[in-house]
Every structure is written in structure tokens, then in C-alpha cells.
């Protein structure tokens, strides 16, 4: 390995839910891998739900065996009641990448949270911080009127942001309202960089699958999650005091179970999780199309993926 002061390669692999990212990580970088970079890579998870302790099945968190095969970072680092934003992710991922590089290993930022990955690659929006009194007022109105009413306000003042932000994502809703009422300008009007930061040398790979195949994989994974005890996991979290307003409980695979109190059956909840997962996958695909500097490649083209990585590492002077 020709490690110098400029040693800063970071591989970023994005893929929609159920594409097969975790298995690919083992095949490429695991201890038993047959690739030229066997045991060289460590995964920095870009999954907005895997950061939470206790949210294992619904987040499709890598198993202990998979984490032993390939080291993973940013998993089980937060309590469910804590907010974990895209800026939080970038700070944590930067630190993890530096630490991995410092040990002569290769950081592989991998996941399906497009907003996290985009923020990590290009940096955050240039929108200003909220005025404290405005933020306090927005939280007061949220408590008084609820998330639906606040999202409707956002739709009036910043329709572009409202279209991108799910009603259940109260953090981002309040952030967008904070920006508007603090600056008088919508969050969507502030520029966001579309070029990579200079902090690292990036290789960005977006894994693709045929949409029908992807949707079938999503449905099969949800079925497997129920068989593995997803509902029981949800009940254990509720018994620990977590509810609809808990940040981690707002994720797909957990929030749908609250429909049971409205008369839905478990079968209907399972169908809703599948539906929401498919919708989310479509949004993931659309969101990542804006990365003009990414390499798009079919997830089953293992040789093509390995060749991209090998060429990148050779260019960085890490493979002879």
C-alpha cells in the first residue's frame, strides 16, 4: 500500500432498499472475499434507521455475523428518541472515514438514505440557522396543532420543500419552516452544491435493478421481516415507552403498526409496509439521479462493480 498524506479515497455505494447492499459488501470486502481488496474495506452505514439501538428487524440491520465478516460503523449509535439529521450523519461519517483511513483501510459509505449520502458528498444547503425565538414558536405550534397542520403551512409557504418532505418527518418540516420565517425565503430557494466536496477522493456507485424485480425483492423482504418477528420487535419498543412521536418510530416498517389502533389488521399493516417501501424505493431512485458524477451499474454485475473499485484504488496507488 502506497499510503501518503494525500491518502483519502472513499467509496460511496448507494442503492434503493432491498437491492442487496449488505451481501455485496461481504462479497467485495469481507474476510472471505475473493476480490483483490479482501479485508481492506470497512462499511460506514448510511442508513437513517440502523443508527438506532433496538431497531434491528425493520431496518434490515446487518447481522452480528455480517458485521464480523466486514466491519460496520454508525450502527447502534443513537437512542430512538434522538434526532439524527443529514448534518449529523455527515459529521459522524467524516470522522469514521478519517479513522478508517488512519488505520490504512478503505472507507465504504454504503446505504439507501439518499439525503444522507447527497449531504455527505456535496455538503449541506447554504440556508441560514433558525432564529431561536422562531424555532421555539414552531415547536409550540407543532405541539398545539400537530404534524399535519404544520406540513400544510409548509405547503403554503414553500411548496417545493413540502413535496420533498414527508408529513411524518417533523424535523425537516420544522427546519423548512424555521428557515422561511427566519429569513423570509423558502428553504428550496437556497443553493445546494451539486459537486463533490474536496475533503475526500470519491468513487460513487449507484446500484440499479429492474423495477419489477426490485419491488418483488421488497415484498419478499417484508414477508421475511414479519417471519423474523417484526411485530414483536415493535411491541417491545412500545413497551419501552416509544410512540408515534419518537424519531425512530417514524420510519417505514414501524410507523405503520400504529394503524392497528385504528382498526387495521396485521395483514393490512404488512401490505401498507410493502406499499410504502415501494414508494420510498422510487423516491430513492429519483433522488440519486441528480448525481451526475456517479457510476450507475446493475447490482448483479459483480465483476463490473469490482472492476470500477479496482480501477479507482489503482489510480489512488493502493493496488499494484
Amino acid at each position: 500500500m502506497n499510503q501518503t498524506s494525500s491518502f483519502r479515497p472513499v467509496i460511496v455505494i448507494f442503492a434503493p432498499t432491498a437491492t442487496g447492499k449488505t451481501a455485496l459488501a461481504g462479497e467485495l470486502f469481507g474476510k472471505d472475499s475473493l476480490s483483490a481488496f479482501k479485508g481492506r474495506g470497512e462499511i460506514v452505514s448510511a442508513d437513517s434507521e440502523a443508527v438506532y439501538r433496538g431497531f434491528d428487524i425493520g431496518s434490515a440491520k446487518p447481522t452480528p455475523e455480517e458485521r464480523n465478516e466486514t466491519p460496520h460503523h454508525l450502527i447502534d449509535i443513537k437512542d430512538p428518541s434522538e434526532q439524527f439529521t443529514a448534518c449529523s450523519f455527515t459529521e459522524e461519517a467524516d470522522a469514521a472515514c478519517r479513522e478508517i483511513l488512519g488505520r490504512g483501510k478503505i472507507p465504504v459509505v454504503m446505504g439507501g438514505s439518499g439525503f444522507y449520502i447527497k449531504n455527505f458528498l456535496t455538503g449541506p444547503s447554504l440556508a441560514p440557522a433558525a432564529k431561536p425565538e422562531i424555532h421555539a414558536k414552531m415547536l409550540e405550534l407543532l405541539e398545539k396543532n400537530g404534524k399535519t397542520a404544520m406540513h400544510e403551512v409548509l405547503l403554503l409557504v414553500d411548496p417545493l420543500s413540502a413535496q420533498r418532505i414527508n408529513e411524518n418527518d417533523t424535523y425537516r418540516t420544522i427546519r423548512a419552516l424555521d428557515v422561511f420565517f427566519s429569513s423570509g425565503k423558502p428553504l428550496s430557494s437556497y443553493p445546494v452544491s451539486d459537486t463533490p466536496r474536496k475533503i475526500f477522493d470519491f468513487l460513487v456507485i449507484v446500484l440499479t435493478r429492474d423495477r419489477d424485480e426490485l419491488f418483488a425483492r421488497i415484498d419478499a423482504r417484508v414477508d421475511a421481516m414479519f417471519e423474523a418477528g417484526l411485530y414483536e420487535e415493535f411491541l417491545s419498543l412500545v413497551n419501552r415507552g416509544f410512540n408515534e412521536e419518537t424519531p425512530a418510530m417514524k420510519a417505514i416498517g414501524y410507523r405503520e403498526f400504529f394503524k392497528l389502533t385504528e382498526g387495521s389488521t396485521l395483514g393490512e399493516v404488512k401490505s401498507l409496509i410493502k406499499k410504502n417501501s415501494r414508494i420510498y424505493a422510487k423516491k430513492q431512485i429519483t433522488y440519486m439521479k441528480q448525481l451526475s458524477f456517479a457510476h450507475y451499474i446493475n447490482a448483479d454485475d459483480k465483476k463490473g462493480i469490482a472492476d470500477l473499485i479496482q480501477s479507482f484504488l489503482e489510480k489512488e496507488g493502493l493496488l499494484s
Side-chain angles (χ1 to χ4, degrees), residues 12 17 97 116 131 140 173 265 278 302 314:
V12 178
T17 184
C97 288
Y116 281 14
K131 295 178 179 178
E140 177 186 334
T173 297
T265 66
R278 291 192 295 267
K302 306 295 175 57
E314 287 174 349

Side-chain angles (χ1 to χ4, degrees), residues 14 46 48 84-87 89-90 112-125 164-165 169 171-172 175 187 192 280 283-284 287-288 290:
F14 169 81
S48 59
F84 192 71
T85 68
C87 288
F89 170 75
T90 297
S113 296
F115 193 60
Y116 281 14
I117 288 179
K118 175 68 163 54
N119 203 81
F120 173 72
L121 288 171
T122 64
S125 163
R164 292 197 293 257
I165 300 172
D169 193 344
Y171 174 85
R172 292 179 65 200
R175 168 61 179 155
L187 176 63
V192 178
Y280 178 56
K283 290 180 177 179
Q284 288 174 299
Y287 191 83
M288 295 306 289
Q290 61 190 289

Side-chain angles (χ1 to χ4, degrees), residues 287-300:
Y287 191 83
M288 295 306 289
K289 285 181 179 178
Q290 61 190 289
L291 295 183
S292 58
F293 48 84
H295 299 269
Y296 292 78
I297 187 166
N298 188 279
D300 288 331

Side-chain angles (χ1 to χ4, degrees), residues 74-122:
L74 305 195
I75 290 178
D76 293 335
I77 63 170
K78 293 293 178 181
D79 289 326
S81 58
E82 296 181 82
Q83 291 280 4
F84 192 71
T85 68
C87 288
S88 303
F89 170 75
T90 297
E91 292 174 2
E92 296 274 6
D94 281 354
C97 288
R98 292 192 193 99
E99 191 271 330
I100 294 167
L101 288 168
R103 291 186 284 100
K105 299 290 186 176
I106 303 160
V108 183
V109 178
M110 176 180 281
S113 296
F115 193 60
Y116 281 14
I117 288 179
K118 175 68 163 54
N119 203 81
F120 173 72
L121 288 171
T122 64

Side-chain angles (χ1 to χ4, degrees), residues 1-311:
M1 181 182 297
N2 181 25
Q3 184 173 339
T4 69
S5 60
S6 62
F7 177 78
R8 56 179 194 174
V10 174
I11 298 167
V12 178
I13 300 178
F14 169 81
T17 184
T19 301
K21 298 179 290 292
T22 301
L24 177 65
E27 291 182 41
L28 291 174
F29 303 103
K31 297 175 183 176
D32 297 325
S33 171
L34 298 178
S35 75
F37 17 92
K38 167 184 177 180
R40 300 279 293 276
E42 297 189 14
I43 307 303
V44 179
S45 171
D47 187 299
S48 59
E49 197 66 4
V51 297
Y52 293 114
R53 290 181 280 268
F55 285 66
D56 301 331
I57 299 173
S59 67
K61 196 174 289 180
T63 65
E65 293 76 20
E66 288 169 330
R67 282 183 258 177
N68 181 60
E69 173 71 13
T70 312
H72 282 68
H73 302 257
L74 305 195
I75 290 178
D76 293 335
I77 63 170
K78 293 293 178 181
D79 289 326
S81 58
E82 296 181 82
Q83 291 280 4
F84 192 71
T85 68
C87 288
S88 303
F89 170 75
T90 297
E91 292 174 2
E92 296 274 6
D94 281 354
C97 288
R98 292 192 193 99
E99 191 271 330
I100 294 167
L101 288 168
R103 291 186 284 100
K105 299 290 186 176
I106 303 160
V108 183
V109 178
M110 176 180 281
S113 296
F115 193 60
Y116 281 14
I117 288 179
K118 175 68 163 54
N119 203 81
F120 173 72
L121 288 171
T122 64
S125 163
L126 299 178
K131 295 178 179 178
E133 65 274 18
I134 295 293
H135 184 62
K137 184 62 177 179
M138 292 302 104
L139 293 179
E140 177 186 334
L141 291 173
L142 175 64
E143 179 69 22
K144 178 181 178 182
N145 300 323
K147 60 187 178 183
T148 300
M150 297 306 287
H151 197 267
E152 288 174 351
V153 173
L154 182 60
L155 188 60
L156 291 174
V157 301
D158 187 357
L160 288 178
S161 291
Q163 290 172 15
R164 292 197 293 257
I165 300 172
N166 188 282
E167 177 185 307
N168 292 306
D169 193 344
T170 53
Y171 174 85
R172 292 179 65 200
T173 297
I174 295 302
R175 168 61 179 155
L177 290 172
D178 281 346
V179 170
F180 178 80
F181 288 109
S182 294
S183 69
K185 296 171 60 179
L187 176 63
S188 57
S189 70
Y190 287 92
V192 178
S193 175
D194 58 0
T195 57
R197 296 186 295 155
K198 302 300 183 183
I199 184 173
F200 299 117
D201 296 329
F202 294 113
L203 168 66
V204 184
I205 298 173
V206 177
L207 304 180
T208 64
R209 284 194 183 277
D210 173 78
R211 182 165 294 191
D212 289 341
E213 178 192 6
L214 180 61
F215 287 179
R217 290 174 64 95
I218 288 171
D219 288 351
R221 189 168 79 167
V222 173
D223 288 336
M225 286 177 174
F226 270 77
E227 292 175 7
L230 178 59
Y231 179 48
E232 290 74 18
E233 180 174 87
F234 169 80
L235 291 177
S236 72
L237 293 166
V238 171
N239 289 336
R240 290 169 56 193
F242 304 123
N243 56 43
E244 283 183 277
E245 297 307 313
T246 302
M249 283 291 215
K250 296 178 182 180
I252 296 170
Y254 295 98
R255 68 177 187 237
E256 292 85 359
F257 283 107
F258 290 105
K259 292 289 184 181
L260 293 172
T261 63
E262 301 173 12
S264 295
T265 66
L266 271 179
E268 289 169 336
V269 167
K270 180 193 285 190
S271 295
L272 183 58
I273 293 174
K274 291 179 179 179
K275 176 184 176 182
N276 288 342
S277 297
R278 291 192 295 267
I279 292 172
Y280 178 56
K282 287 191 287 187
K283 290 180 177 179
Q284 288 174 299
I285 294 167
T286 300
Y287 191 83
M288 295 306 289
K289 285 181 179 178
Q290 61 190 289
L291 295 183
S292 58
F293 48 84
H295 299 269
Y296 292 78
I297 187 166
N298 188 279
D300 288 331
D301 185 1
K302 306 295 175 57
K303 183 180 184 304
I305 297 166
D307 286 347
L308 277 174
I309 294 172
Q310 183 160 343
S311 295

